[in-house]
Amino acid sequence: MKRNRLDLFSMGRFLSIVKKEIIQFKRDKPSLAIALAMPIMMLMLFGYAISTDVENIKTTVWDQSRSADSRDVIASLEHTQLFEVVSYSLSEQEVEDQIDQGKADVALIIPPDFAHKRDNDEPVALQMLINGSDPNIARTATANAQLIIQHKALAVQEKILASKGMGELEQPMSLETRVLFNPDMDSNVFNIPGLIGLIMQNVTMILTAFSLVREKEKGTMEQLNVTPIKPVELFLGKITPYFFIGMFSFLVVLILGIYWFHVPVKGSMSLLVTLSGMFLITTLALGMFVSIISKTQLQAMQLAFAFILPSVLLSGFLFPRDTMPMVIQWIGAIVPLTYYLEILRGIFLKGVGVEALWQDIINLMIFFVLLLSIAVLRFRKKVE
Amino acid sequence: MSSEVFAITSENLTKKFGDRVAVNQLSLSIRKGSIYGFLGPNGSGKTTTIRILCGLLAATSGNGTVLGFDVMTQSEEIKKRIGYMSQKFSLYEDLTVNENLNFYAGIYGIRGQQKEKRKKELLEMAGLIGREDQLAGSLSGGWKQRLALSCALLHEPEVLILDEPTAGVDPVSRRIFWDTIHQLAKQGITVLVTTHYMDEAQTCDWIGFIFFGNMLAQGTPESLIQEYGGENLEDVFIMLVEQEERRVSGADQKTSVSGEVGGNR
């Protein structure tokens, strides 16, 4: 044929692949569901399921004093809304049963001589039994109960001092805390941005992981391999439609996050969208890489999940990375999601820009370039 | 080597998969405009040879040319000029007849008027007029094969390579298919075709018998029948296979030309 120019990249071939992928995508119901329904379902499911906020800890009270003083203590526990008194026990046995059967996580035991000792200003101890199976609940219960009782004790002390004519009790030291970025410490504000990152990673990876390997299994790849198509045309032609599908999914979960879960974006929206696009291409390349090295769809699926599962744990999505052992932190550092989560949370919660996120952006870029080149280079027009 | 006369040539072409020799020192030359029938039992190395010629596999040693281009270094040039049909139906079943043709037209850079004209010609040739909007997956075996052939012919290739094109196709469709192939050869297209059907092989211009990766005999159907003294090609085929099996089991099996050749990989 009369082609004089260098035949490095043909727009026509690239567009043919794009068009074909779109037609196939539209006809493939499971893919449609993964791309359109899964993000929303995952956001709703995890948005409500992953809440580390502890409230209304089920509490049983064995009040042996039955006095105004004891009721006062119980009331101050209940005021915090952290503790919810679900039952009153009448014996040690009953307290144990309540905790054993899971009806209560915490038991407050008030001794019979509580009021008497209080009246005589003698020191008196209250007992609290805590179910430690869930460390999160146990920690919250312990810390808060301590605080409440200390507060009460201090008030009593002040009263005694005042009665002795000593006047106001002056605290020699105090701590004033101010929580930045998420003043209500609402765990959704922390979780939803992370969830957006996780959903994007999973959806795009699953979709692209199958895209090449499906052609290998069906034999259509062999037919393509004997045409003049260039690997880079096929590669880009395959990820381009998924890029737009991924961006659409991203915008859907973003809008749901903002308006349904009320998690505002404090930083620049355009920066968020730009960096999300870059992350999307990175995971698309990762998915393609999985597809290139797998021989069957089953293999591709196993590989994709072998990556997705650790990325949930290691990226800092659920647990802060700073507290992980060094080795685990290093492993987490080779997960692109790790950096994207920092970016997401930075822009969402702190409202920071490039000046604070440049390290994460550079790391993400490294993955972007690395994965894209590996995937393109690893792609061969040969049968194995 | 005169690429003027021969469309496909190979010299001592060898492919090893680990220890197993799939193609052993295979030499052949296929005249332009002829139909070359590639015969041999399953797993004898036919598909491997074809894949090397198409540039899908790299040969371990030896060399080959298609239309004067080296199969090892110029496979992309070859791909522009050949049409290929694999054993398995390898078009998109979830695309319609028309969409499949459009897709391959795009891949081969055929556009506009030329594309419409070519599509019409091929749809007519394949008898697929009226089925343009049917999903390829819903076509019957014979139609599928003819659609695959149409896609392989879109870019008017000079060489057509067909790997068992009529396996599992009904006799009527088989006849129509072969009529088309003869038509194409008359137009000057070189055809390399593998088959199990002796009646099909009989109509080829030239035949090569391959077994355990070795080329056992080559020639016109008539000359082969004469040389081996059989009634027909089938006799020659069986004779050659038995002869080779005796030779292999007689010889010490140091060289691992193993008989355990599963599939056509």
Side-chain angles (χ1 to χ4, degrees):
Chain A
M1 268 146 242
K2 44 195 188 301
R3 205 174 280 139
N4 295 323
R5 65 199 161 82
L6 261 163
D7 192 21
L8 284 175
F9 187 87
S10 149
M11 207 58 191
R13 289 196 291 255
F14 163 75
L15 287 176
S16 295
I17 299 282
V18 172
K19 220 189 261 171
K20 184 214 89 181
E21 289 295 320
I22 293 172
I23 297 174
Q24 285 186 309
F25 179 77
K26 279 198 297 198
R27 296 205 179 131
D28 186 25
K29 297 261 153 51
S31 285
L32 271 175
I34 288 175
L36 306 176
M38 202 167 94
I40 299 171
M41 259 172 53
M42 275 173 74
L43 188 73
M44 287 298 170
L45 213 61
F46 291 131
Y48 285 107
I50 307 178
S51 172
T52 43
D53 297 338
V54 179
E55 268 176 359
N56 301 329
I57 301 169
K58 289 175 283 177
T59 309
T60 182
V61 177
W62 182 19
D63 184 2
Q64 300 170 79
S65 165
R66 293 182 171 278
S67 56
D69 283 322
S70 69
R71 277 192 294 277
D72 185 36
V73 169
I74 297 164
S76 44
L77 277 184
E78 274 195 300
H79 269 311
T80 60
Q81 308 220 319
L82 270 167
F83 298 93
E84 184 195 357
V85 177
V86 288
S87 63
Y88 285 88
S89 300
L90 296 169
S91 67
E92 202 177 335
Q93 186 58 44
E94 221 172 303
V95 167
E96 271 176 30
D97 286 348
Q98 288 281 317
I99 293 184
D100 283 351
Q101 291 164 14
K103 286 178 183 157
D105 283 319
V106 162
L108 177 70
I109 301 168
I110 301 170
D113 53 359
F114 182 72
H116 176 74
K117 283 192 172 164
R118 281 283 305 102
D119 287 343
N120 298 328
D121 287 338
E122 280 175 52
V124 62
L126 297 160
Q127 196 185 14
M128 183 169 262
L129 300 177
I130 297 163
N131 169 15
S133 328
D134 185 339
N136 196 16
I137 294 178
R139 258 196 304 273
T140 312
T142 317
N144 285 289
Q146 283 290 6
L147 219 67
I148 292 161
I149 301 302
Q150 245 169 43
H151 205 76
K152 271 229 106 46
L154 218 64
V156 170
Q157 195 81 26
E158 262 181 27
K159 223 191 268 169
I160 296 169
L161 285 173
S163 68
K164 288 182 179 164
M166 305 274 278
E168 277 291 286
L169 180 75
E170 193 101 1
Q171 291 204 35
M173 206 185 283
S174 71
L175 174 72
E176 275 178 26
T177 56
R178 193 157 71 90
V179 178
L180 303 172
F181 311 131
N182 183 8
D184 299 333
M185 290 195 274
D186 178 359
S187 70
N188 256 351
V189 170
F190 181 70
N191 283 333
I192 296 290
L195 207 48
I196 292 175
L198 188 72
I199 290 171
M200 275 192 19
Q201 173 193 270
N202 295 2
V203 168
T204 52
M205 248 191 92
I206 291 171
L207 282 177
T208 43
F210 290 122
S211 84
L212 263 183
V213 81
R214 193 186 295 133
E215 297 221 22
K216 280 191 218 171
E217 270 190 3
K218 294 218 165 166
T220 52
M221 197 66 213
E222 194 177 330
Q223 193 67 45
L224 267 184
N225 280 341
V226 290
T227 69
I229 189 133
K230 298 265 182 301
V232 67
E233 293 158 356
L234 180 54
F235 184 87
L236 292 178
K238 282 218 167 245
I239 67 169
T240 303
Y242 289 114
F243 174 76
F244 289 104
I245 293 161
M247 274 321 255
F248 177 77
S249 302
F250 166 70
L251 291 176
V252 169
V253 287
L254 183 66
I255 288 165
L256 272 178
I258 295 171
Y259 294 103
W260 185 272
F261 287 103
H262 306 293
V263 181
V265 181
K266 289 193 181 146
S268 151
M269 193 57 114
S270 58
L271 183 69
L272 180 66
V273 174
T274 309
L275 293 174
S276 299
M278 206 166 85
F279 175 69
L280 196 62
I281 299 174
T282 310
T283 54
L284 284 171
L286 198 64
M288 283 300 270
F289 181 67
V290 166
S291 209
I292 288 166
I293 59 173
S294 317
K295 289 201 173 71
T296 62
Q297 295 195 55
L298 186 67
Q299 265 182 20
M301 193 174 75
Q302 286 167 336
L303 256 172
F305 277 99
F307 182 85
I308 286 172
L309 250 81
S311 75
V312 174
L313 299 174
L314 300 177
S315 63
F317 171 67
L318 282 180
F319 316 109
R321 285 182 72 229
D322 302 335
T323 56
M324 293 176 190
M326 232 17 199
V327 183
I328 304 292
Q329 284 194 36
W330 289 334
I331 302 174
I334 55 168
V335 179
L337 183 62
T338 304
Y339 305 104
Y340 183 54
L341 286 186
E342 290 290 330
I343 291 170
L344 274 173
R345 285 172 179 157
I347 296 176
F348 255 96
L349 289 143
K350 298 186 198 161
V352 292
V354 182
E355 70 289 344
L357 297 169
W358 64 273
Q359 273 182 315
D360 297 303
I361 296 174
I362 286 175
N363 282 324
L364 193 61
M365 269 173 158
I366 292 172
F367 276 106
F368 174 79
V369 173
L370 209 68
L371 282 167
L372 212 57
S373 355
I374 291 175
V376 171
L377 290 176
R378 185 69 175 69
F379 189 79
R380 290 267 175 284
K381 281 171 75 181
K382 298 273 182 218
V383 287
E384 276 112 67
Chain B
M1 230 174 299
S2 66
S3 60
E4 311 284 304
V5 186
F6 296 112
I8 300 174
T9 65
S10 81
E11 229 178 319
N12 299 326
L13 205 63
T14 301
K15 176 70 190 180
K16 289 180 187 165
F17 292 108
D19 277 345
R20 191 169 74 77
V21 182
V23 177
N24 189 18
Q25 309 249 315
L26 188 123
S27 299
L28 54 75
S29 13
I30 302 174
R31 267 177 193 283
K32 278 192 175 166
S34 68
I35 301 177
Y36 186 101
F38 212 11
L39 269 61
N42 287 332
S44 56
K46 296 183 307 258
T47 300
T48 306
T49 308
I50 281 180
R51 283 180 169 171
I52 294 170
L53 293 174
C54 293
L56 285 173
L57 273 178
T60 313
S61 63
N63 53 57
T65 65
V66 175
L67 296 164
F69 295 103
D70 190 310
V71 294
M72 301 291 267
T73 57
Q74 296 172 295
S75 61
E76 290 308 304
E77 288 302 317
I78 295 173
K79 285 171 185 173
K80 286 180 196 162
R81 294 168 174 85
I82 60 166
Y84 170 75
M85 253 179 81
S86 68
Q87 292 174 354
K88 231 170 103 182
F89 177 70
S90 48
L91 297 180
Y92 298 96
E93 305 213 328
D94 47 354
L95 258 54
T96 64
V97 169
N98 207 17
E99 285 162 349
N100 268 300
L101 284 166
N102 283 338
F103 173 67
Y104 278 101
I107 295 295
Y108 285 110
I110 307 161
R111 275 185 285 267
Q113 286 259 280
Q114 195 200 349
K115 172 177 133 182
E116 293 311 317
K117 185 175 149 265
R118 192 75 191 127
K119 265 169 58 184
K120 196 165 162 270
E121 280 170 15
L122 290 166
L123 284 169
E124 262 165 26
M125 178 207 84
L128 282 164
I129 300 273
R131 291 180 190 266
E132 290 91 336
D133 294 324
Q134 202 173 326
L135 286 181
S138 69
L139 295 172
S140 69
W143 296 112
K144 274 185 184 169
Q145 290 308 81
R146 272 178 269 160
L147 174 60
L149 183 66
S150 303
C151 284
L153 286 171
L154 262 170
H155 57 302
E156 298 175 74
E158 294 164 62
V159 169
L160 193 57
I161 296 179
L162 310 168
D163 196 0
E164 290 187 26
T166 51
V169 171
D170 66 271
V172 177
S173 294
R174 213 147 65 80
R175 175 68 58 81
I176 299 173
F177 194 87
W178 271 89
D179 285 346
T180 314
I181 288 174
H182 283 287
Q183 279 285 298
L184 293 167
K186 267 187 205 143
Q187 291 164 25
I189 295 175
T190 312
V191 182
L192 168 58
V193 57
T194 72
T195 181
H196 283 306
Y197 298 106
M198 290 306 141
D199 57 328
E200 290 180 354
Q202 192 84 45
T203 66
C204 294
D205 299 317
W206 202 260
I207 278 179
F209 271 112
I210 183 174
F211 191 44
F212 288 163
N214 293 304
M215 185 68 93
L216 298 183
Q218 284 189 83
T220 61
E222 296 75 27
S223 69
L224 284 172
I225 293 167
Q226 218 161 30
E227 189 179 331
Y228 290 89
E231 289 267 308
N232 49 33
L233 268 181
E234 192 150 345
D235 289 349
V236 178
F237 184 88
I238 291 165
M239 218 181 291
L240 280 166
V241 166
E242 283 174 352
Q243 198 181 347
E244 183 67 7
E245 267 172 344
R246 271 198 301 279
R247 195 186 66 78
V248 171
S249 60
D252 66 326
Q253 295 191 331
K254 251 194 308 188
T255 47
S256 50
V257 189
S258 111
E260 294 296 316
V261 189
N264 280 326
R265 291 256 141 195

